[in-house]
């Protein structure tokens, strides 16, 4: 992609209807789990071969853990949807990836696609369950990661329930990483959201706007995390793009949804939590 192609239009008007919205108030999505039609539309719209957004997140995590140790950790891709993030981890050499979602259409798809990319020595497991009660013992995963799904939670209390469940199933000194959109009232937020929407497939725009208005703010995440015992340390921060090698940049550039490389700065957050020692 050239600088010219990335040049965004600044609007005088309100092309996406965002400017009249009060982003200090959260508007939840109409439901947490998709109906069958929405689930199939999500898979079709988001799980295409060139998609690079999960690659970008997997590379962030690889940098966090270091190239050598990432292979050895057990990862849960929580609310995995089509399971692209877990597949990216398999591509980076992670030995054990678990896929979780509450929707069987999603978990069947995730399993089928992951089996196509498995190498010798790698294993996958699939769990279909409500996110607040994942049927695995305490202390099961080195990393519980959840991409683009916490904004689906109906309320901040539900978010708290989910974060407590993630902590239960994480090993002592293990990590939870939440990557999602954030709601914000900062001046840059509307401009960055409009830029993102300009580089989004038109049929996805009406689905993405509700994610922006349903996303939790950094302050809301901070208050939830502070209310949960058993956390050694945590960080709630704007998302920063990973550094890309030439080869990885070529893959990102091949993704025709250029909006994926704009999912940083004022519109996306990261919550990184380390569980305390036993
Ligand atoms: C927006 S999709 C994101 C999927 C995937 N992580 C991604 O980045 O493409 C949200 C996913 O969360 C799942 N989900 C939402 N609420 C859930 C719940 N209460 N229990 C289990 N899964 C849930 C949905 O089924 C859906 O697959």
């Amino acid at each position: 992609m050239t600088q010219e192609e990335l040049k965004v239009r600044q609007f005088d008007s309100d092309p996406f209807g965002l400017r009249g919205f009060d982003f200090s108030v959260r508007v939840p999505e109409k439901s947490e789990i998709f109906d069958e039609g929405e689930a199939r539309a999500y898979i079709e719209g988001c799980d295409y071969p060139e998609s690079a957004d999960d690659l970008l997140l997997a590379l962030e995590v690889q940098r966090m853990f270091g190239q050598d140790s990432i292979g050895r950790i057990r990862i849960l891709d929580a609310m995995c949807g089509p399971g692209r993030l877990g597949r990216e981890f398999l591509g980076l050499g992670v030995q054990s990836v678990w896929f979780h979602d509450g929707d069987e259409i999603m978990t069947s798809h995730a399993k089928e696609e992951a089996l196509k990319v498995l190498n010798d020595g790698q294993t996958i497991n699939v769990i279909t369950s409500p996110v607040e009660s994942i049927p695995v013992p305490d202390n099961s995963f080195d990393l519980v990661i959840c991409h683009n799904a916490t904004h689906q939670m109906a309320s901040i209390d539900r978010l708290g329930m989910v974060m407590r469940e993630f902590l239960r199933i994480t090993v002592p000194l293990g990590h939870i990483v939440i990557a999602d959109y954030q709601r914000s009232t900062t001046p840059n937020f509307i401009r960055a959201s409009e830029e993102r929407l300009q580089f989004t497939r038109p049929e996805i725009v009406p689905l993405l706007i509700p994610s922006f208005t349903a996303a939790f703010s950094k302050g809301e995440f901070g208050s939830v995390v502070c209310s949960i015992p058993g956390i050694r340390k945590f960080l709630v921060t704007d998302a920063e793009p990973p550094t890309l090698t030439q080869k990885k940049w070529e893959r990102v550039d091949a993704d025709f949804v250029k909006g994926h490389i704009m999912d940083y700065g004022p519109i996306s957050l990261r919550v990184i939590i380390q569980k305390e020692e036993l």
Side-chain angles (χ1 to χ4, degrees):
M1 184 164 27
T2 65
Q3 288 290 48
E4 198 50 39
E5 283 169 310
L6 250 186
K7 218 175 260 166
V8 292
R9 272 181 60 207
Q10 300 289 316
F11 297 102
D12 295 327
S13 58
D14 184 12
F16 302 106
L18 297 181
R19 297 192 188 184
F21 189 82
D22 178 2
F23 279 95
S24 66
V25 180
R26 176 172 190 255
V27 176
E29 297 261 16
K30 68 177 169 41
S31 61
E32 289 189 359
I33 301 207
F34 299 140
D35 64 28
E36 187 179 337
E38 288 168 331
R40 296 202 189 283
Y42 190 86
I43 291 172
E44 199 171 311
C46 297
D47 195 3
Y48 53 93
E50 300 84 1
S51 175
D53 62 335
D54 290 283
L55 170 69
L56 292 166
L57 179 56
L59 291 172
E60 270 183 61
V61 171
Q62 184 184 46
R63 194 179 51 187
M64 263 178 69
F65 282 86
Q67 193 138 7
D68 293 338
S69 33
I70 193 161
R72 297 192 294 272
I73 64 176
R74 278 161 302 162
I75 297 184
L76 178 74
D77 180 0
M79 296 195 271
C80 66
R84 288 167 301 138
L85 179 61
R87 254 180 280 148
E88 295 292 354
F89 282 124
L90 291 170
L92 294 179
V94 174
Q95 297 296 296
S96 171
V97 177
W98 292 58
F99 293 88
H100 160 270
D101 202 276
D103 183 335
E104 202 162 353
I105 297 173
M106 295 297 193
T107 46
S108 309
H109 176 90
K111 180 175 179 184
E112 202 178 304
E113 293 302 312
L115 288 173
K116 293 180 189 164
V117 300
L118 264 196
N119 284 316
D120 282 354
Q122 289 184 312
T123 58
I124 60 155
N125 286 277
V126 174
I127 307 168
T128 308
S129 80
V131 64
E132 67 277 14
S133 52
I134 300 177
V136 295
D138 296 356
N139 310 328
S140 288
F141 300 103
D142 302 293
L143 171 66
V144 174
I145 186 158
C146 182
H147 188 198
N148 202 6
T150 51
H151 68 262
Q152 299 278 143
M153 296 302 104
S155 65
I156 196 157
D157 290 345
R158 292 273 304 148
L159 179 68
M161 232 179 260
V162 170
M163 297 303 289
R164 275 189 287 276
E165 180 66 349
F166 288 169
L167 195 67
R168 179 188 74 76
I169 64 179
T170 301
V171 298
L173 297 181
H175 291 84
I176 301 169
V177 172
I178 305 295
D180 209 335
Y181 291 111
Q182 64 171 312
R183 224 178 65 255
S184 153
T185 51
T186 60
N188 283 342
F189 173 77
I190 296 274
R191 194 178 44 77
S193 305
E194 287 176 345
E195 286 176 6
R196 172 61 169 98
L197 290 167
Q198 278 181 73
F199 289 89
T200 301
R201 290 159 76 177
E203 67 275 25
I204 302 293
V205 168
L207 304 176
L208 194 51
I209 292 175
S211 307
F212 290 161
T213 57
F216 291 97
S217 67
K218 289 201 291 277
E220 286 161 345
F221 260 108
S223 68
V224 165
V225 174
C226 286
S227 72
I228 302 176
I231 289 174
R232 180 167 183 258
K233 55 183 179 181
F234 74 90
L235 177 69
V236 181
T237 183
D238 289 345
E240 298 247 3
T243 327
L244 295 172
T245 59
Q246 179 61 28
K247 201 158 161 233
K248 293 285 191 264
W249 177 251
E250 280 163 20
R251 229 202 95 185
V252 171
D253 200 21
D255 187 345
F256 47 87
V257 179
K258 301 303 177 198
H260 287 151
I261 58 167
M262 295 173 173
D263 280 341
Y264 293 96
I267 60 170
S268 293
L269 56 68
R270 298 290 180 264
V271 181
I272 301 164
I273 293 173
Q274 187 178 36
K275 183 166 171 173
E276 69 183 15
E277 283 180 80
L278 263 188

